[in-house]
Amino acid sequence: MGSIATSSKSLDAILKAPGVKNKEVIRLSNGKSTDFIQSFISPNQEVRDPFYVLDLGMVSSLMDQWNSSIPSIRPFYAVKCNHEPTLLAALAALGVGFDCASQAEMEAVLALGVSADQIVFANPCKAETHIKFAASVGVNLTTYDSPYEIEKMKKWHPKCALLLRIKAGDDGNARCPLGPKYGALPEEVTQLLQAAHAAGLPVVGVSFHVGSATTYSLAYRSAIAAAKEVFNTALQLGMPRMRTLNIGGGFFAGPHFEEAAVTIKDALQLYFGNETDLEVVSEPGRFFAETAFTLATCIIGKRVRGELREYWINDGLYGSMNCMLYDHATVTATPLACTSDPTNPKCNGVKTYPSTVFGPTCDALDTILTDYQLPDLQVNDWLVFPNMGAYTACAGSKFNGFDTSAIPTYLACSDPCIGQENN
Ligand SMILES: *Cc1c(COP(=O)(O)O)cnc(C)c1O
């Protein structure tokens, strides 16, 4: 395919990335991925399986947003959020590092040609075989929050640098708090620092995670304050000065991101203003993935009971919409006919009905939307779900023979893609 003229440096980098440049990228004239979805679906197409559209223009805009708000904080993308190879390749081309939690995630990132020093093995509790793997490929930075982890590291990867993962106090406002599972308590810090030091493992800094999708930006401030305490404790214990602060993830695109960015910058100034050589990094997952993916599903079944319309579609709670269970997400859907043409008489001012949308499996739990207003739709109509990039396909199953991992991803490019395709 030819190159696409763009107005954005980050988008240029993405489109030239190995892993992207040989793939077809559909340019969107009106900036909407539904436009592309429409163009992909030909009227007489018999296969109507679900598919994703990844908007590379959105990924580039998110990177630009990050760089304009917190340019000095380097992101290490949390691979667990969405491991679609094209997304990983695009982020690698932007100079983003990677947060990996397992051997398979490290392998996926290394396979892109990313070097091992761009990876943080950010799982405080690791299987020994995965630690051995990290040692063999040179991934030399990990997190810990328990003395047992130090024993394993000493045995299998004694040259690895450590970040002490502390519990962020204020994660109650997050959609998915991580505090119940991870992070050292303040009273455990001294012992954990001493134990690592005694084992000869360098503790180079502190990490935390305020919980995923937090709307409470002050959570970052209290966690940064707590991290400073750990830096001080290490000095008091006569350990080498720490130089890395990893502020984790929790971000999502939109106004909350700007608010979080301001809070973080203020807190860094307040608590770490006099630290020279401090390296601040982060592990955003949702921020780079959520809004970049749109899911197209097809109606495969219908039932009418009075006013009520019931539809079955070909993805559901055991597939992409597992995010409703595990990620406490709320999903929205629009009939494709309406997103691509809001003036379509099928949608505009047309009567809507209270509708239920079921997934394809034979479990009644597999219900995606209830009492949801939709026009009268038919079997083979398409339903489009926006913002489906975070914690969706990656956690889906093969239950009942509906294989989530088989859902393909097509590439599109919205807003920043301007000019003509030239061959
Ligand atoms: C899940 C996770 C992330 C990503 O979190 P988001 O809320 O998606 O940004 C980052 N770091 C660690 C250690 C995680 O477990």
Side-chain angles (χ1 to χ4, degrees):
M1 73 156 274
S3 62
I4 297 174
T6 76
S7 61
S8 154
K9 248 173 141 181
S10 54
L11 187 58
D12 278 339
I14 291 176
L15 295 174
K16 286 185 188 132
V20 178
K21 68 168 186 262
N22 295 323
K23 299 201 169 130
E24 189 181 11
V25 180
I26 304 287
R27 189 169 51 88
L28 305 174
S29 51
N30 70 356
K32 288 182 107 180
S33 18
T34 46
D35 188 40
F36 168 58
I37 291 171
Q38 188 70 72
S39 76
F40 176 77
I41 301 161
S42 68
N44 43 16
Q45 190 195 337
E46 275 171 31
V47 179
R48 292 169 176 274
D49 293 337
F51 63 91
Y52 278 99
V53 175
L54 166 56
D55 179 359
L56 295 170
M58 178 62 84
V59 176
S60 122
S61 307
L62 290 164
M63 190 72 235
D64 292 345
Q65 240 173 288
W66 184 281
N67 283 336
S68 83
S69 299
I70 34 178
S72 63
I73 304 180
R74 179 153 182 240
F76 284 69
Y77 172 70
V79 175
K80 79 168 186 286
C81 183
N82 188 324
H83 56 254
E84 160 59 33
T86 323
L87 175 65
L88 301 182
L91 291 171
L94 295 175
V96 169
F98 294 91
D99 154 2
C100 298
S102 62
Q103 177 170 339
E105 288 187 356
M106 288 185 272
E107 284 169 339
V109 169
L110 292 169
L112 297 168
V114 172
S115 74
D117 61 2
Q118 304 300 302
I119 295 175
V120 49
F121 191 178
N123 185 342
C125 198
K126 300 164 283 292
E128 288 184 323
T129 52
H130 297 210
I131 297 171
K132 268 202 271 186
F133 176 79
S136 72
V137 295
V139 171
N140 297 329
L141 181 62
T142 190
T143 58
Y144 80 110
D145 66 1
S146 146
Y148 297 96
E149 202 66 12
I150 299 169
E151 286 175 30
K152 287 188 293 177
M153 294 309 297
K154 188 180 174 191
K155 188 162 170 201
W156 299 112
H157 196 354
K159 292 202 185 79
C160 195
L162 305 180
L163 299 172
L164 177 60
R165 169 88 172 255
I166 59 169
K167 187 163 134 71
D170 282 327
D171 67 0
N173 280 62
R175 207 156 88 198
C176 305
L178 293 167
K181 187 168 182 181
Y182 293 118
L185 303 172
E187 60 269 28
E188 294 165 347
V189 165
T190 298
Q191 184 213 356
L192 285 167
L193 291 176
Q194 280 173 326
H197 193 53
L201 290 154
V203 187
V204 297
V206 174
S207 77
F208 59 76
H209 195 302
V210 296
S212 200
T214 187
T215 52
Y216 183 66
S217 69
L218 290 178
Y220 288 101
R221 186 163 81 180
S222 55
I224 289 169
K228 176 66 180 181
E229 291 292 312
V230 179
F231 274 59
N232 289 342
T233 305
L235 278 184
Q236 283 155 17
L237 293 171
M239 293 168 61
R241 179 179 285 276
M242 292 178 168
R243 45 167 195 82
T244 303
L245 175 63
N246 183 333
I247 64 168
F251 308 95
F252 58 107
H256 281 299
F257 175 66
E258 297 306 324
E259 194 185 312
V262 169
T263 308
I264 289 164
K265 281 187 287 194
D266 287 351
L268 289 175
Q269 184 54 38
L270 181 62
Y271 296 105
F272 286 91
N274 56 2
E275 296 271 346
T276 51
D277 302 342
L278 180 73
E279 181 197 30
V280 187
V281 299
S282 61
E283 298 166 347
R286 187 184 308 278
F287 179 80
F288 284 112
E290 188 158 65
T291 54
F293 287 79
T294 303
L295 175 66
T297 67
C298 201
I299 295 176
I300 56 171
K302 176 177 178 180
R303 182 166 63 196
V304 176
R305 282 179 174 158
E307 280 286 283
L308 177 66
R309 299 290 183 273
E310 294 172 304
Y311 303 107
W312 280 255
I313 62 172
N314 48 12
D315 199 355
L317 254 71
Y318 287 92
S320 301
M321 286 80 167
N322 76 81
C323 60
M324 295 172 62
L325 292 181
Y326 296 130
D327 191 37
H328 312 291
T330 310
V331 301
T332 58
T334 317
L336 180 62
C338 310
T339 55
S340 55
D341 178 13
T343 63
N344 186 327
K346 242 180 148 178
C347 320
N348 200 22
V350 92
K351 178 169 167 53
T352 61
Y353 300 83
S355 306
T356 303
V357 177
F358 295 120
T361 71
C362 296
D363 183 355
L365 174 81
D366 193 0
T367 304
I368 302 155
L369 298 164
T370 50
D371 204 14
Y372 197 80
Q373 290 295 322
L374 288 170
D376 188 46
L377 299 169
Q378 308 306 326
V379 169
N380 288 335
D381 280 347
W382 290 85
L383 261 188
V384 176
F385 293 77
N387 305 325
M388 286 293 286
Y391 306 108
T392 49
C394 57
S397 74
K398 287 186 188 177
F399 179 53
N400 250 189
F402 300 98
D403 184 357
T404 315
S405 64
I407 300 176
T409 295
Y410 301 107
L411 305 178
C413 183
S414 67
D415 272 346
C417 284
I418 54 162
Q420 299 296 316
E421 275 189 52
N422 40 57
N423 293 303

